[in-house]
Amino acid sequence: MSVSTPLVFRPSFAQRAMAVLLFAGSWMVGVRALAQISERLPLLRASLKVAAAAGEPTWSFWVAVIAAIGAVVVGSLLLVGTLLGVLLVEGSQVLVDDLGLSVEHNALPAPLARRLGSGRLLWKQVSRMERSGLFFFVVRGGGDPARREGASREIPDPVLRFLLVDQLERLVTMILERSPNLKHE
């Protein structure tokens, strides 16, 4: 049995450039918002002290301070999410060969890459292919009936996830054609 060279599916230059532009734009907006919040916090603090000295209610100032801190926390999480998205797009590749399908996330540390869908499945192990949320394409294992019978102690099949690849239609068609245990729902 001869094994041919695997096909490699990666995001196109335009898809990678769009991810980098979204990343850079979100960081610019986030830094600008953080600068505006940090400029206004001393004014809020002074207004809070004046209102407290005058005996007026200060709950509206506390709400503004808590909202500003909440905005910084949510913005920070979004910025980390955009960084993760760029690393997923930039370092991802899907390899297809005669034996199966492999997804690699090279820009991420190995434990995080495995958690986000890096791994390998043989064609007979592929049981489902679906779209997860707005972003990920998911290929699930567990399709090999012979392996399922004796799978009491075996490691479960990985769940492969990838974001974008060039020629996505071709990749999906190859998965559909080569997976004998793929279930259509």
Side-chain angles (χ1 to χ4, degrees):
M1 179 169 131
S2 68
V3 178
S4 63
T5 304
L7 292 173
V8 178
F9 293 89
R10 289 187 39 91
S12 68
F13 176 75
Q15 291 168 331
R16 293 187 353 244
M18 183 63 72
V20 169
L21 284 174
L22 287 172
F23 170 72
S26 65
W27 274 89
M28 288 173 49
V29 168
V31 167
R32 173 118 171 107
L34 184 60
Q36 287 181 345
I37 288 171
S38 64
E39 285 175 5
R40 294 202 174 118
L41 276 179
L43 179 63
L44 273 174
R45 185 171 179 242
S47 299
L48 182 64
K49 286 185 177 186
V50 168
E56 295 179 11
T58 59
W59 64 270
S60 62
F61 295 110
W62 282 110
V63 169
V65 169
I66 291 172
I69 292 170
V72 168
V73 169
V74 169
S76 299
L77 292 175
L78 289 173
L79 293 177
V80 169
T82 60
L83 175 63
L84 184 63
V86 162
L87 292 176
L88 275 173
V89 170
E90 190 62 35
S92 294
Q93 60 185 10
V94 180
L95 297 143
V96 175
D97 59 14
D98 293 338
L99 299 175
L101 175 74
S102 176
V103 175
E104 298 176 0
H105 301 300
N106 297 324
L108 298 173
L112 184 59
R114 278 191 299 274
R115 179 170 276 247
L116 291 175
S118 183
R120 178 158 178 80
L121 284 173
L122 300 176
W123 291 122
K124 62 183 179 180
Q125 291 175 311
V126 174
S127 67
R128 284 189 323 204
M129 184 174 57
E130 59 195 32
R131 179 108 187 210
S132 174
L134 295 173
F135 303 112
F136 283 106
F137 291 92
V138 179
V139 180
R140 297 187 185 277
D144 186 10
R147 192 166 171 208
R148 272 187 275 152
E149 291 172 3
S152 59
R153 290 189 211 156
E154 288 186 30
I155 299 172
D157 292 332
V159 176
L160 306 181
R161 292 182 184 92
F162 56 93
L163 281 174
L164 298 170
V165 293
D166 196 23
Q167 300 179 359
L168 181 64
E169 299 84 17
R170 182 178 175 202
L171 175 61
V172 168
T173 303
M174 289 177 78
I175 293 171
L176 290 172
E177 289 174 351
R178 294 184 179 190
S179 302
N181 298 320
L182 187 67
K183 296 176 186 80
H184 301 281
E185 297 178 5

